[in-house]
Amino acid sequence: MLARNKPHRNGSMLKSLARLIFMRLPPALLSPFIGRLGLILCTWGLVAAPRPMTFLDVLQFRTIGAGTLSRSGNFFAYTIGTLDWKTGKRFTDIYITAAGGGPPRQMTFTPDKDEWAPALSADGQWLAFLSNRDARPNAGTETPAEGGSRAGQLYLMPIAGGESRKISDGPGTVAAFAWSRDGRRIAYLAGKPENRQIYVYDLAGAGPRVLTKHSTSIASLEWAPDGSRLYFRAPDTQDADDRKRVEMKFDVRIVNPPVIPVHLWEIHAGSRTEKRLTSADKFTVAEFHVSQDGRWITFTGNTCDRFIDALDRRDSEPYLLETATGKLERLMDNNVAESTPIVSPDGRWIALTAPEDFTYFRRSRLYLRPAAGGDWRMCPKDWDGDVENPAWSADSGSLYFTAGNGVAHELFGVDAESGAIRQITKRNGVVAAQYDPDTNGFVLSFQDPSHPADYFLASPAEAGQPGRWRRMSDANPQTADFALGEYETVRWKSADGTAVEGILVKPLGYEAGQRYPLIVQLHGGPAGAYVRSFAASYGTYVHVFAAGGYAVFQPNYRGSTNYGEKFRMEISGDYFRPGFDDIMTGVDEVIRRGVADPDKLGMMGWSAGGHWSNWTLTHTDRFKAISSGAGAMNWISMYAQTDVHANREFYFQGTPYENWDHYLDISPIKYIKNAKTPTLIQVGGDDQRVPRAQSEELHMALKKLGVPTEFIVYPKMPHGITEPRYQMVKMVAEYNWFEKWIKGKPGWFEWKEILRTLPAGAIPEEKTDDILPRQD
């Protein structure tokens, strides 16, 4: 399972030809073409037959991101992230594809540095991007852009060919940048974190010039559509002593520090005159948008109350600012989170998303009203899905959005006047979409169980016809080398008659009538869902299980999204019971179908999947092994330890101080004496969502009760594991836990098993001591 595989020495020219055809063919013709071509090449002995996927293969899949189209619609730019084992990081390079289709062209080549945030000039002749290729020693320790994770400089490169040139060259780094709408200037935010200012570079000028000399460090910027001014956010004050004390290693963390308001400003690009646009000590300006006609600015105002959970956003409200008059309107006044409003291209309408009837956790709906004022209108009305990431059409007559739909994620449209909804794509996979009003087209990414995510372009007329999509990327051509498990959508009735759905992945070489070990995988959330995506994640790695002779079952239990409001909300006040029934009746269905061996069952999950794994541990002994990742054991202690609370109060109907007995009744720790199943426990050392203490409670109990257990803590990791070496450990340790307790294989795993799998020089010697399983 862990061995590396060398590519077949023959057939490289034919493979290159096949890849070229692959880029040219429309998606609807790809599957039959690949199948026939593969059969021919294997028959002739020119390429090796598909091989099983390994743990190393899972982590070495490349990732696409930052897809962007020029306003002229002639070129498409995006990034590809590639894993570097020596540093344990993914480094990104930038690629360009002609919008009409064709092979991608790699624009940057820096294997140990990053290029990111590609942005094309309006005419598609220039590519601007950020990079840390020339980073000075220790430059990476600077605070990056707000919400970012990297610090670099601004570069400009001609699309036609030639070397890039560095535009920024002052102290500090570039936090953000934006092209003017006419494509003649670039504004960027640069400097040290305590003094970031706006600079403007004119393509026809001599060099960059500083535009602002603001009294505090600027947080973000955006051009006015006519290029006459820039809008920006900046805090009202700065505490120099607070920064200084951290630099001098007085780095204690103050819990719930005072919130310094951040407000909106404008500066004239010619006269450099600054003007303050918002002012209040009750809210702080977060994300903002400038309308296409320049008449309006919309933004989200977050509370300045230091004791309100920032992640819950219960006191966040949308605002509308008229740029000509400075008139500011608060659009909502409730205790639920809305999206930042978007203004229609004609400037007449505003739209936002919010839960139906402005009730927490209800289905997400569009709300529309005239920008000049009036009543809100909700749409769609008779549809049980959730509106995600809406965008106005170029004619302002409709909005596009994506939504989960069972085990798929598709593109939809809704008529702004009538509220009528239509499903645009029916790919039975995962469609993500970004609408571009300038070109009246979609930037789409698509993946399904056989194809990793790649970018495509399509017009509104083409979006519902995948055969007309234009492929922009081919990030993982090696996928054709792998033998993949077969996906099947499974439906069954739960104990109370509720219809439930999930995914079954069959083992390689599956034969009807033969029973296989079954791994039940539980998704997080629980307001999430398993969909027909490509499984190249350390969290599930189903194709590795399939290669090892396991079937994998992924139930979308009660509390999941994609199945309507009632299905998602039904667990409020009865958190575990309905979902647990759904899971167990689903397992019974897979056994009834003759796929699963009832004596060889395993379960794994992370976050909410860990919660349900812990509940399963304490409520049945049907499973031979369980892997619990970042799961809660004691909801009373968890309430104070976690960084989010609104969802707990919804699920458990209040705080533990108001509903103590209920919190205890749904805590797996109350039933821990029932535990019999060997359990592997895993958690990030710095997890704030489900802190390590919850795993410690489980581990202590199992030790004292004599239940076989192992406990792995991943140093400095948050709720998700980000370090590739730790991701590898998670998969190998988990997989071998099932091998030991389900298949009866001796031992668990050895470090040399991991070390010999990785590329030469991938792990420095000192790293092997970073992770040690606790064995008691």
Side-chain angles (χ1 to χ4, degrees):
M1 184 63 60
L2 290 172
R4 280 177 296 203
N5 294 274
K6 295 181 179 179
H8 199 277
R9 62 184 177 182
N10 299 317
S12 59
M13 290 182 63
L14 281 173
K15 275 190 170 183
S16 298
L17 176 61
R19 187 182 181 195
L20 180 61
I21 297 173
F22 181 76
M23 288 295 298
R24 294 286 186 179
L25 274 178
L29 301 180
L30 286 177
S31 293
F33 168 76
I34 292 171
R36 292 190 181 100
L37 178 64
L39 178 63
I40 293 170
L41 295 180
C42 290
T43 302
W44 290 352
L46 294 175
V47 296
R51 62 174 177 80
M53 192 183 292
T54 68
F55 299 117
L56 186 62
D57 294 327
V58 170
L59 295 181
Q60 293 194 146
F61 270 83
R62 290 176 282 275
T63 57
I64 58 169
T68 183
L69 188 63
S70 64
R71 287 189 59 229
S72 59
N74 54 355
F75 285 104
F76 181 75
Y78 61 98
T79 62
I80 289 183
T82 305
L83 178 61
D84 179 81
W85 276 105
K86 190 170 184 180
T87 61
K89 298 177 180 178
R90 285 191 179 274
F91 292 110
T92 55
D93 277 300
I94 296 173
Y95 290 71
I96 294 284
T97 305
R105 183 157 49 104
Q106 185 170 350
M107 302 297 288
T108 63
F109 299 83
T110 53
D112 60 346
K113 299 292 183 181
D114 273 317
E115 273 81 27
W116 69 97
L120 295 161
S121 60
D123 59 7
Q125 300 303 305
W126 294 93
L127 169 69
F129 60 92
L130 298 178
S131 174
N132 58 7
R133 60 175 65 179
D134 296 326
R136 294 182 290 273
N138 299 322
T141 61
E142 267 191 24
T143 304
E146 184 177 46
S149 60
R150 293 172 285 192
Q153 298 294 339
L154 177 63
Y155 293 79
L156 192 63
M157 176 185 291
I159 295 297
E163 293 298 318
S164 63
R165 65 178 186 269
K166 185 163 66 171
I167 301 303
S168 59
D169 195 23
T173 55
V174 174
F177 73 94
W179 283 98
S180 61
R181 191 166 175 79
D182 61 11
R184 296 168 53 188
R185 292 166 293 170
I186 303 174
Y188 63 93
L189 195 55
K192 294 183 178 180
E194 66 273 17
N195 188 32
R196 288 196 172 115
Q197 301 295 327
I198 298 175
Y199 293 73
V200 174
Y201 176 77
D202 192 323
L203 268 66
R209 64 186 179 94
V210 63
L211 184 67
T212 60
K213 294 183 179 179
H214 198 69
S215 59
T216 61
S217 188
I218 296 174
S220 64
L221 59 82
E222 187 172 337
W223 282 98
D226 63 4
S228 64
R229 67 200 67 233
L230 285 121
Y231 300 103
F232 64 89
R233 295 185 308 122
D236 286 350
T237 61
Q238 286 183 180
D239 190 342
D241 291 337
D242 188 62
R243 178 176 294 277
K244 187 69 174 178
R245 62 100 175 172
V246 173
E247 292 174 355
M248 297 180 68
K249 307 303 181 184
F250 289 93
D251 53 356
V252 298
R253 183 172 70 91
I254 307 298
V255 178
N256 301 127
V259 177
I260 297 174
V262 173
H263 280 289
L264 194 61
W265 295 71
E266 72 172 23
I267 184 167
H268 196 278
S271 67
R272 306 188 190 184
T273 304
E274 286 189 7
K275 179 182 178 181
R276 187 183 185 110
L277 301 180
T278 64
S279 178
D281 58 5
K282 298 298 184 183
F283 70 85
T284 180
V285 177
E287 177 183 22
F288 74 94
H289 300 309
V290 181
S291 66
Q292 280 188 255
D293 61 5
R295 288 183 58 197
W296 310 99
I297 296 176
T298 59
F299 65 87
T300 295
N302 292 334
T303 180
C304 291
D305 186 334
R306 58 185 292 203
F307 296 114
I308 295 291
D309 294 338
L311 294 176
D312 289 340
R313 292 189 56 218
R314 282 185 280 192
D315 277 25
S316 297
E317 300 295 352
Y319 290 80
L320 179 69
L321 176 72
E322 188 174 26
T323 57
T325 65
K327 178 185 176 183
L328 180 65
E329 180 185 3
R330 178 171 172 166
L331 298 174
M332 296 287 179
D333 187 6
N334 51 49
N335 284 315
V336 296
E338 301 90 0
S339 66
T340 301
I342 51 175
V343 180
S344 59
D346 62 10
R348 296 178 56 219
W349 298 92
I350 54 177
L352 54 78
T353 60
E356 187 166 332
D357 295 333
F358 306 106
T359 301
Y360 181 77
F361 226 73
R362 290 208 63 187
R363 55 193 176 187
S364 178
R365 284 290 173 267
L366 273 170
Y367 287 85
L368 297 87
R369 55 150 261 197
D375 295 331
W376 289 100
R377 178 165 47 88
M378 186 189 77
C379 67
K381 293 182 179 179
D382 301 320
W383 183 69
D384 206 14
D386 290 288
V387 176
E388 303 171 12
N389 305 315
W392 282 100
S393 62
D395 64 4
S396 301
S398 60
L399 294 103
Y400 302 110
F401 64 91
T402 55
N405 185 19
V407 293
H409 198 267
E410 304 285 4
L411 175 64
F412 294 80
V414 61
D415 185 87
E417 185 64 33
S418 68
I421 190 171
R422 66 189 188 281
Q423 184 173 340
I424 298 173
T425 62
K426 298 180 180 178
R427 297 301 311 272
N428 200 24
V430 178
V431 176
Q434 175 186 336
Y435 178 73
D436 179 21
D438 289 321
T439 60
N440 188 28
F442 292 103
V443 174
L444 302 162
S445 74
F446 175 72
Q447 59 179 305
D448 66 15
S450 302
H451 305 95
D454 270 309
Y455 281 123
F456 299 84
L457 297 181
S459 69
E462 297 166 335
Q465 305 173 58
R468 299 177 65 187
W469 291 11
R470 285 155 283 146
R471 175 180 282 273
M472 294 291 105
S473 67
D474 180 22
N476 290 286
Q478 79 280 12
T479 308
D481 297 336
F482 300 135
L484 305 176
E486 177 188 349
Y487 273 55
E488 179 183 344
T489 301
V490 180
R491 298 178 181 89
W492 68 97
K493 290 292 182 69
S494 190
D496 61 359
T498 298
V500 191
E501 187 176 61
I503 293 171
L504 176 65
V505 184
K506 296 176 181 177
L508 299 187
Y510 170 76
E511 295 180 8
Q514 180 178 336
R515 293 188 180 274
Y516 297 87
L518 180 71
I519 303 299
V520 180
Q521 296 184 339
L522 305 179
H523 64 71
Y530 281 118
V531 292
R532 288 174 50 83
S533 58
F534 187 83
S537 161
Y538 75 92
T540 55
Y541 57 99
V542 299
H543 297 303
V544 177
F545 279 112
Y550 291 90
V552 177
F553 178 51
Q554 300 175 329
N556 286 333
Y557 51 90
R558 228 82 59 93
S560 301
T561 56
N562 298 6
Y563 297 94
E565 180 179 86
K566 181 177 183 293
F567 194 91
R568 185 182 69 248
M569 296 180 68
E570 198 169 359
I571 63 173
S572 175
D574 193 7
Y575 188 67
F576 280 120
R577 185 193 57 78
F580 181 66
D581 286 347
D582 297 346
I583 294 162
M584 299 310 297
T585 54
V587 171
D588 291 339
E589 174 65 17
V590 178
I591 292 171
R592 187 192 68 78
R593 294 183 179 208
V595 176
D597 185 335
D599 296 321
K600 295 183 177 179
L601 305 177
M603 176 178 283
M604 58 184 282
W606 198 275
S607 191
H611 308 338
W612 258 264
S613 295
N614 293 346
W615 188 259
T616 301
L617 168 68
T618 58
H619 285 76
T620 183
D621 60 0
R622 290 181 62 181
F623 293 87
K624 297 298 183 184
I626 289 175
S627 173
S628 173
M633 280 299 291
N634 182 340
W635 290 112
I636 294 173
S637 58
M638 169 80 165
Y639 183 83
Q641 295 165 357
T642 186
D643 59 353
V644 292
H645 302 92
N647 61 337
R648 319 290 183 207
E649 293 168 19
F650 168 78
Y651 287 130
F652 309 147
Q653 298 186 339
T655 69
Y657 324 118
E658 302 162 329
N659 204 359
W660 184 274
D661 290 343
H662 182 66
Y663 268 74
L664 181 60
D665 287 342
I666 56 170
S667 294
I669 196 71
K670 179 178 179 179
Y671 313 98
I672 193 62
K673 287 186 178 180
N674 298 332
K676 300 290 188 294
T677 308
T679 302
L680 172 64
I681 307 165
Q682 304 184 82
V683 71
D686 289 347
D687 190 340
Q688 295 185 55
R689 188 62 38 82
V690 186
R692 170 179 171 172
Q694 293 295 309
S695 295
E696 296 277 4
E697 289 197 39
L698 174 58
H699 186 238
M700 175 60 73
L702 295 182
K703 285 193 304 179
K704 293 298 183 181
L705 294 170
V707 178
T709 183
E710 298 286 354
F711 186 17
I712 300 179
V713 177
Y714 297 95
K716 300 180 182 179
M717 290 295 100
H719 193 50
I721 303 173
T722 58
E723 161 63 60
R725 296 179 182 89
Y726 299 167
Q727 293 173 350
M728 173 68 83
V729 172
K730 189 264 185 189
M731 290 190 290
V732 173
E734 194 166 54
Y735 182 89
N736 282 283
W737 189 253
F738 296 126
E739 289 281 272
K740 173 182 175 67
W741 294 104
I742 295 178
K743 292 186 176 180
K745 293 190 175 181
W748 177 25
F749 82 97
E750 297 180 358
W751 289 108
K752 64 182 179 182
E753 185 179 11
I754 293 177
L755 301 180
R756 73 186 178 199
T757 304
L758 303 184
I763 298 186
E765 248 180 73
E766 64 273 14
K767 273 285 183 184
T768 60
D769 295 327
D770 277 4
I771 321 167
L772 288 177
R774 272 174 42 175
Q775 302 181 16
D776 296 277

